[in-house]
Amino acid sequence: MDAVAQWRNQWFDYTHYLRREGFLDDQFAQLKKLQDENSPDFVVEVVSLFFQDSEKLLNNMARALEQNVVDFKQVDACVHQFKGSSAWIGAMRLKNVCINFRNYCEAQNLEGCLGCLQQVRQECLALKNNLENLFRLEQQIVAAGGSIPVME
Amino acid sequence: MATAGEVLRRNVPESFELSEKELHVLAVDDSIIDRKVIEKLLKISCCKVTAVESGTRALQYLGLDGEKKSSVGFDGMKVNLIITDYSMPGMTGYELLKKIKESSAFREVPVVIMSSENILTRIDRCLEEGAEEFIVKPVKLSDVNRLKNFMMGGERKEKGVKKVQKRPLQVDYNNSSSAPSPLPQLSPSFACNLASLHSSPSSSPSSPLPRCASKRPRLHSMD
């Protein structure tokens, strides 16, 4: 089996793994559909924007939760925005943590919120690593002269 | 006997004959990621896009914060559709919608509201205020295609009746038939229109017609 075929097989295995584990859902495939010759790096750009944005949001959440009197509405607003952004890239697990996070905000449960914040950070890191792996794989396929398979 | 398709096809006003031109969409969203994806969704569907980050900016663009009277944007391009996020700091999408519908220049421009939250009262408010549709984020290509088909004059919906579906059923209702055949699965809008045409008591259907729904969008929830 030649290099391209091997990389493509790896790509299929990896994307199946990411879907199975809930790292990515259908929306990621939707995003890929928007990538074309006019914007060949569209997905990478959106994902990069997401992680930049999430860094800011996570810091805002952390700061808000450190206050003597926590403004849970403010934290909730950040989580809401974060959840929305996660949805655009199909980050299902992140989205789900955000749902819990919002519940804790509504209940004004500081412990719960802090726990969720930590979980969000962990999930973000895991997703970032996974996506970097995926993009690297795709670069290898293209470098070897192949084309990236279409995500179902 | 007119078929359902013919009956429901309406003459499209000239201002909506857009088949030769590109649609110009004004997209309003405070989130940079949302703007980026929505802009791409629209561009890939061959629309011209002007993306702004707030309701205030949108009003500035439309000249509604000033004395402009025409439905031409700041840069001279006519706006065919406005698509706006609901939750934005400062002016919400709902408030923007109200301002647009209050203006003589822009009240005829269709406004679509987007939201990441599927809240019925929110949807109702927007539709009652004159929003064309309410789309739950994340917006998909199929949503944009549907909007585009709608805008290109194919199916204009009646006020107060649920949006007509893209592929109308070809149903022939023969008044003279003695045994009424069971109704196929009809959407409330079709059922409403047919009910008003065929009000003869003899052709009562075997299954009850669904009630007319008030304006309800097709919601595309994330699950």
Side-chain angles (χ1 to χ4, degrees):
Chain A
M1 194 185 287
D2 71 349
V4 172
Q6 272 188 325
W7 292 132
R8 282 172 67 97
N9 279 344
Q10 273 200 30
W11 186 94
F12 277 114
D13 288 342
Y14 201 60
T15 50
H16 285 150
Y17 158 73
L18 292 177
R19 297 279 278 259
R20 210 172 45 240
E21 294 298 307
F23 285 106
L24 294 175
D25 65 20
D26 286 338
Q27 179 56 30
F28 191 75
Q30 289 283 325
L31 207 64
K32 278 193 151 266
K33 274 198 226 174
L34 302 181
Q35 190 158 287
D36 58 12
E37 324 76 59
N38 294 329
S39 53
D41 299 316
F42 179 71
V43 179
V44 171
E45 284 167 11
V46 175
V47 168
S48 305
L49 256 180
F50 169 75
F51 284 114
Q52 278 170 32
D53 206 38
S54 63
E55 192 62 42
K56 269 200 309 243
L57 285 171
L58 290 174
N59 289 337
N60 289 345
M61 287 177 216
R63 248 196 316 276
L65 288 168
E66 278 164 14
Q67 303 303 310
N68 285 329
V69 181
V70 176
D71 183 352
F72 284 101
K73 274 199 159 53
Q74 196 197 352
V75 181
D76 182 66
C78 288
V79 181
H80 170 65
Q81 204 177 326
F82 189 81
K83 178 169 167 264
S85 302
S86 309
W88 282 111
I89 66 167
M92 197 168 80
R93 280 159 75 127
L94 264 178
K95 216 174 64 187
N96 290 338
V97 179
C98 288
I99 293 171
N100 287 342
F101 204 155
R102 291 197 78 188
N103 289 336
Y104 281 123
C105 286
E106 199 177 316
Q108 306 208 350
N109 182 332
L110 184 58
E111 285 296 310
C113 283
L114 289 169
C116 279
L117 181 61
Q118 193 175 11
Q119 227 185 325
V120 167
R121 283 200 193 278
Q122 283 168 349
E123 287 293 342
C124 245
L125 198 55
L127 181 65
K128 194 159 189 236
N129 289 334
N130 283 327
L131 285 173
E132 279 170 1
N133 290 340
L134 184 66
F135 293 145
R136 202 173 309 123
L137 204 45
E138 291 182 346
Q139 278 170 354
Q140 279 166 335
I141 292 171
V142 170
S147 63
I148 301 166
V150 172
M151 202 170 263
E152 307 128 36
Chain B
M1 174 57 61
T3 58
E6 284 170 54
V7 160
L8 290 162
R9 210 163 294 126
R10 293 280 180 265
N11 280 331
V12 171
E14 250 183 52
S15 53
F16 292 104
E17 291 295 349
L18 295 162
S19 45
E20 303 311 316
K21 311 166 206 165
E22 265 189 325
L23 281 181
H24 177 214
V25 184
L26 176 62
V28 191
D29 202 310
D30 60 311
S31 157
I32 189 171
I33 292 172
D34 295 40
R35 271 202 312 278
K36 188 173 172 81
V37 183
I38 289 162
E39 195 170 348
K40 186 67 185 167
L41 278 166
L42 291 167
K43 281 188 170 152
I44 223 172
S45 310
C46 303
C47 297
K48 280 205 186 59
V49 190
T50 300
V52 297
E53 75 264 25
S54 68
T56 314
R57 275 265 185 270
L59 291 177
Q60 277 172 1
Y61 179 79
L62 297 171
L64 284 179
D65 61 336
E67 322 78 36
K68 256 222 196 140
K69 294 281 179 267
S70 74
S71 62
V72 166
F74 174 70
D75 52 7
M77 287 207 293
K78 185 175 163 67
V79 173
N80 304 118
L81 174 72
I82 297 168
I83 184 165
T84 177
D85 188 21
Y86 183 94
S87 315
M88 295 187 291
M91 189 186 296
T92 65
Y94 175 73
E95 286 157 359
L96 175 62
L97 166 69
K98 283 211 317 205
K99 288 225 150 47
I100 291 166
K101 291 302 169 187
E102 281 163 13
S103 84
S104 49
F106 290 99
R107 72 162 60 102
E108 293 304 314
V109 177
V111 180
V112 172
I113 310 278
M114 302 176 285
S115 176
S116 52
E117 292 173 303
N118 191 353
I119 299 172
L120 224 48
T121 46
R122 179 180 289 190
I123 297 166
D124 279 342
R125 276 172 94 205
C126 292
L127 294 180
E128 272 156 30
E129 202 56 46
E132 212 61 35
E133 191 164 333
F134 188 103
I135 301 178
V136 177
K137 288 180 177 177
V139 179
K140 295 187 177 21
L141 254 179
S142 52
D143 293 320
V144 176
N145 286 335
R146 192 181 68 248
L147 280 178
K148 205 178 165 216
N149 286 338
F150 164 75
M151 289 302 304
M152 296 310 245
E155 291 119 11
R156 296 287 300 157
K157 64 171 189 265
E158 292 285 307
K159 278 196 160 33
V161 175
K162 189 183 150 194
K163 202 175 178 25
V164 172
Q165 291 185 14
K166 266 198 322 194
R167 285 190 304 280
L169 295 171
Q170 294 290 299
V171 178
D172 242 10
Y173 275 82
N174 200 333
N175 262 340
S176 62
S177 69
S178 46
S181 44
L183 275 180
Q185 278 304 309
L186 293 178
S187 74
S189 63
F190 280 87
C192 288
N193 281 307
L194 288 167
S196 60
L197 290 173
H198 305 279
S199 50
S200 134
S202 60
S203 55
S204 55
S206 51
S207 49
L209 288 172
R211 281 189 316 114
C212 289
S214 57
K215 261 205 288 189
R216 277 270 181 268
R218 291 231 291 272
L219 295 177
H220 298 269
S221 62
M222 292 188 293
D223 37 66

